[in-house]
Amino acid sequence: MPIRFDAADAHWRVAPMPGFSADQKDWLTRGGSLTAHLRTLGQVEVRVTREAVDLPWPDERAALGLAPRASAWVREIVLVVDGVPFVAAHSATPLAASHGAWRAMRSLRTRPLAELLYSDSGVSRSALVSRRVNARHALYALAANATHSRVPHAHAARRSVFERHGAPLLVTECMLPALWTHLAHVAHIEHVEHNVHMGRERGPLDHTASRANAAQRAHSELR
């Protein structure tokens, strides 16, 4: 279903930046529910940090089709996996839409927004766009508050617009450092387990020979 709204601008782009890691490019472009993807990593909890009438961020107005000084309904949450904050999210919809097409957003409480977005065939989604956000962007402060610790110079973030009955809802998600740390740890464990498995398949003599050859190569390199 075509959508009238576009989440992209000069900074938010469909193609992830070349400097992003493989994990970052993967998670910034994953379709479907981010909450569902996080559930593959552990138990997910939604912590609501703010729900209020507010002005949208400067780079949100165009994506929402709002005039300057027009108000929006804003919801901010942290997605926590096994007690650790992995994602800080900020959602905004025109104030009128929060009483109309997106009124259910006001009564979600600690339920994920995904319950509204992926259970209704009448909801359309724009392309996912991503960027790095630093301290000059409001999303950076949201991420800092979510982690309560020293944060990197910039975060990887993504956003997209959902449309229902002609009304837009912009969802922006900032990936926190703990997510990348967890994925790196999982990859390390898988690598170790793979090596152990391969060693068992070769058998004890092959494994010993392999270690001996490696030692010989190392010795030769030192000579």
Side-chain angles (χ1 to χ4, degrees):
M1 185 183 300
I3 183 169
R4 297 187 298 114
F5 300 90
D6 187 1
D9 64 15
H11 300 286
W12 295 93
R13 301 178 181 180
V14 173
M17 297 176 64
F20 283 135
S21 69
D23 278 339
Q24 288 173 329
K25 290 178 181 178
D26 175 20
W27 282 77
L28 290 172
T29 57
R30 285 191 178 197
S33 165
L34 181 60
T35 303
H37 292 309
L38 290 174
R39 284 187 177 128
T40 66
L41 306 180
Q43 183 68 36
V44 177
E45 173 193 355
V46 178
R47 294 180 183 172
V48 181
T49 57
R50 190 168 77 102
E51 290 182 305
V53 176
D54 201 355
L55 293 176
W57 294 336
D59 66 350
E60 291 182 315
R61 285 198 299 267
L64 290 169
L66 287 176
R69 309 302 299 175
S71 296
W73 176 257
V74 172
R75 183 175 193 252
E76 294 176 346
I77 67 162
V78 178
L79 294 174
V80 178
V81 179
D82 293 337
V84 181
F86 273 21
V87 176
H90 171 96
S91 303
T93 189
L95 189 57
S98 74
H99 294 290
W102 294 108
R103 61 184 176 276
M105 179 183 174
R106 285 177 169 262
S107 57
L108 278 172
R109 299 184 185 275
T110 58
R111 290 180 293 130
L113 189 58
E115 290 190 10
L116 302 181
L117 304 179
Y118 301 102
S119 61
D120 186 343
S121 61
V123 175
S124 301
R125 186 183 194 179
S126 73
L128 278 163
V129 294
S130 61
R131 64 168 290 183
R132 290 189 188 279
V133 292
N134 56 28
R136 290 178 293 180
H137 195 284
L139 188 60
Y140 187 89
L142 190 66
N145 291 335
T147 58
H148 300 294
S149 61
R150 186 176 180 180
V151 295
H153 172 69
H155 291 284
R158 70 180 203 171
R159 74 180 190 179
S160 60
V161 182
F162 294 84
E163 183 179 347
R164 183 174 188 269
H165 300 326
L169 168 62
L170 180 62
V171 179
T172 305
E173 298 153 330
C174 182
M175 314 305 186
L176 302 177
L179 171 61
W180 312 126
T181 300
H182 178 87
L183 294 175
H185 181 64
V186 169
H188 173 71
I189 291 175
E190 290 176 346
H191 177 70
V192 170
E193 290 178 345
H194 173 74
N195 287 344
V196 170
H197 177 70
M198 292 299 293
R200 288 172 178 169
E201 284 190 342
R202 286 196 300 266
L205 294 179
D206 289 341
H207 184 59
T208 301
S210 176
R211 291 178 60 187
N213 290 336
Q216 288 175 356
R217 288 196 301 271
H219 180 70
S220 298
E221 290 172 359
L222 291 173
R223 292 179 62 183

